[in-house]
Amino acid sequence: MASKVHDLLYQSFERALTQLEQKRLDEALKTSETLRREKAVLERLRQRVTDSSVDTKFRPFFADRVMSRIRSQTATGLRIESVWEGIIAAFRPIAIAATVVMIVLISYNLFKSKTISVASALGEPDITLEQVVDPAFVMNWE
Amino acid sequence: MTDEQLIQAYKSGDEDAFRTLIKRHEPRVAATVIGMLGNCPEADDVGQETFIRFHNSLDQFRGQASVGTYITRIAINLSLNELKRRRKRQFLFFSKSKDDDEETLVDETGGIEYDDEKEIVRKAIQDLEPDFRAVVVLRMMEGYSTKETADMLNVPLGTVLSRLARAQKKLKAVLMPLLGDS
């Protein structure tokens, strides 16, 4: 009960209490000297905290420092952008031709191998390791 | 000019418009960042980063919140990140964390070690855990409503209320001699 009233006291500084809550707090304040003292201490504490507000300025020329960082950030962004634009411009003329060549090669490989797989599309020969390496040679070598 | 007009002007190529926005919101950001991190060199860096992030998100800013609230949200989140980094660094180097510092504000005789009372209160706030510190800075120092504080920290309203209550209890315990009640 006492703790509830205590909570109400703290909350009374933060929000409007309901009629019932306010009545309960007022009655408790009337009867309890401790609670009245607590309220007074809380009021002083809150005032002290408000009064202790810190410096409201950073070091001098703060705005200039921020603007200079924004400018350099924008310049770096523009530089990166222009490098990308350069790369795109350089590759654009050959990109279409390269794509056409790639499609022709893939079609040719698929047609030649008569199977549909990534390996055959890339023109990889369909042979095993044993077919590549002569087993007799491997045994002699061991 | 309103903040929104300044943003439009900046988007149309007026660089000074953004400078004006920075100058207008610098006090708010400084109070938040210095309140969270203390007056240290990193505070200036976090302040700068706050405005750079705001600048980079101008296209996404649709005016759902006021510019001030939007910037403060960035500032508080960057400050919390910086505190996490600070703790990690301190953990890696096995040194005693400044945030965990058990240094008392009141000496054995009950007297106060600091001359400036405001400094004592600031030190007590700095010694709070970051989550508690954030609600104290936003709600009690900056004067945002509990709803705005909850939105900025992306936590439920109830969490803000309980953190505020716990933070005040901790502050009260440390600052009791200053509050004139034994």
Side-chain angles (χ1 to χ4, degrees):
Chain A
M1 177 70 183
S3 125
K4 259 218 153 126
V5 173
H6 214 250
D7 286 347
L8 281 181
L9 174 66
Y10 277 84
Q11 287 184 20
S12 67
F13 289 97
E14 306 302 339
R15 66 176 177 91
L17 300 180
T18 63
Q19 269 189 339
L20 195 69
E21 289 171 332
Q22 190 63 56
K23 197 176 161 200
R24 188 189 290 178
L25 179 62
D26 289 343
E27 277 167 10
L29 280 169
K30 256 185 229 161
T31 53
S32 168
E33 168 68 24
T34 319
L35 199 65
R36 279 201 297 275
R37 269 218 315 266
E38 174 83 8
K39 189 184 177 196
V41 167
L42 261 182
E43 279 167 351
R44 281 199 293 275
L45 172 70
R46 294 177 70 93
Q47 193 54 52
R48 294 269 184 187
V49 171
T50 308
D51 292 346
S52 77
S53 260
V54 288
D55 308 340
T56 52
K57 284 244 177 248
F58 290 112
R59 283 184 289 123
F61 309 112
F62 175 77
D64 293 337
R65 287 197 297 283
V66 176
M67 288 311 293
S68 138
R69 278 185 64 183
I70 288 172
R71 269 195 296 269
S72 76
Q73 172 193 277
T74 312
T76 310
L78 286 176
R79 266 203 302 277
I80 291 169
E81 230 168 69
S82 67
V83 167
W84 271 112
E85 276 168 9
I87 291 170
I88 291 166
F91 279 89
R92 191 173 293 140
I94 59 165
I96 296 167
T99 308
V100 170
V101 169
M102 213 165 70
I103 290 168
V104 168
L105 278 174
I106 288 171
S107 309
Y108 174 74
N109 287 335
L110 288 174
F111 176 74
K112 209 177 147 196
S113 71
K114 295 193 169 55
T115 55
I116 295 173
S117 69
V118 177
S120 56
L122 295 174
E124 285 177 14
D126 194 14
I127 51 173
T128 61
L129 187 65
E130 284 74 21
Q131 286 172 303
V132 177
V133 182
D134 180 5
F137 169 77
V138 173
M139 284 173 79
N140 285 338
W141 186 66
E142 278 176 347
Chain B
M1 269 177 119
T2 65
D3 287 343
E4 286 70 22
Q5 286 169 331
L6 284 171
I7 290 172
Q8 281 312 316
Y10 178 69
K11 282 180 176 173
S12 314
D14 178 5
E15 198 183 80
D16 275 342
F18 198 75
R19 189 189 297 273
T20 309
L21 263 179
I22 296 172
K23 284 183 177 165
R24 185 177 290 176
H25 293 284
E26 181 189 344
R28 185 195 294 262
V29 171
T32 304
V33 174
I34 297 173
M36 287 296 290
L37 304 179
N39 206 344
C40 55
E42 297 94 71
D44 199 274
D45 292 341
V46 171
Q48 287 183 42
E49 191 59 32
T50 299
F51 283 103
I52 289 167
R53 294 271 177 109
F54 173 58
H55 172 269
N56 294 347
S57 64
L58 275 181
D59 288 336
Q60 284 109 58
F61 180 70
R62 300 267 177 272
Q64 320 88 310
S66 72
V67 172
T69 307
Y70 191 78
I71 293 177
T72 308
R73 182 180 293 155
I74 300 174
I76 200 85
N77 285 316
L78 288 178
S79 302
L80 286 168
N81 288 347
E82 174 59 29
L83 286 173
K84 271 186 210 155
R85 264 200 301 275
R86 201 183 265 182
R87 286 197 164 207
K88 235 180 249 174
R89 271 200 302 270
Q90 279 157 347
F91 175 76
L92 283 174
F93 292 107
F94 300 101
S95 69
K96 199 176 165 195
S97 162
K98 193 183 163 190
D99 291 329
D100 295 335
D101 209 337
E102 293 296 324
E103 184 187 350
T104 51
L105 297 163
V106 180
D107 66 23
E108 286 161 3
T109 59
I112 288 163
E113 291 174 347
Y114 292 75
D115 292 334
D116 186 355
E117 289 186 351
K118 277 186 183 178
E119 202 53 48
I120 300 166
V121 179
R122 280 179 212 156
K123 175 76 178 82
I125 295 167
Q126 288 294 308
D127 285 347
L128 290 172
E129 287 164 49
D131 287 341
F132 293 149
R133 203 185 304 174
V135 291
V136 169
V137 168
L138 291 175
R139 171 74 184 117
M140 295 169 73
M141 293 170 82
E142 296 287 300
Y144 286 105
S145 71
T146 43
K147 170 86 175 60
E148 285 170 319
T149 305
D151 287 346
M152 279 185 210
L153 296 171
N154 206 20
V155 294
L157 190 64
T159 306
V160 170
L161 292 175
S162 73
R163 281 182 190 171
L164 269 172
R166 288 172 67 187
Q168 285 176 93
K169 280 173 193 166
K170 284 175 186 232
L171 286 175
K172 196 177 69 156
V174 178
L175 298 172
M176 198 47 114
L178 200 66
L179 302 171
D181 196 290
S182 53

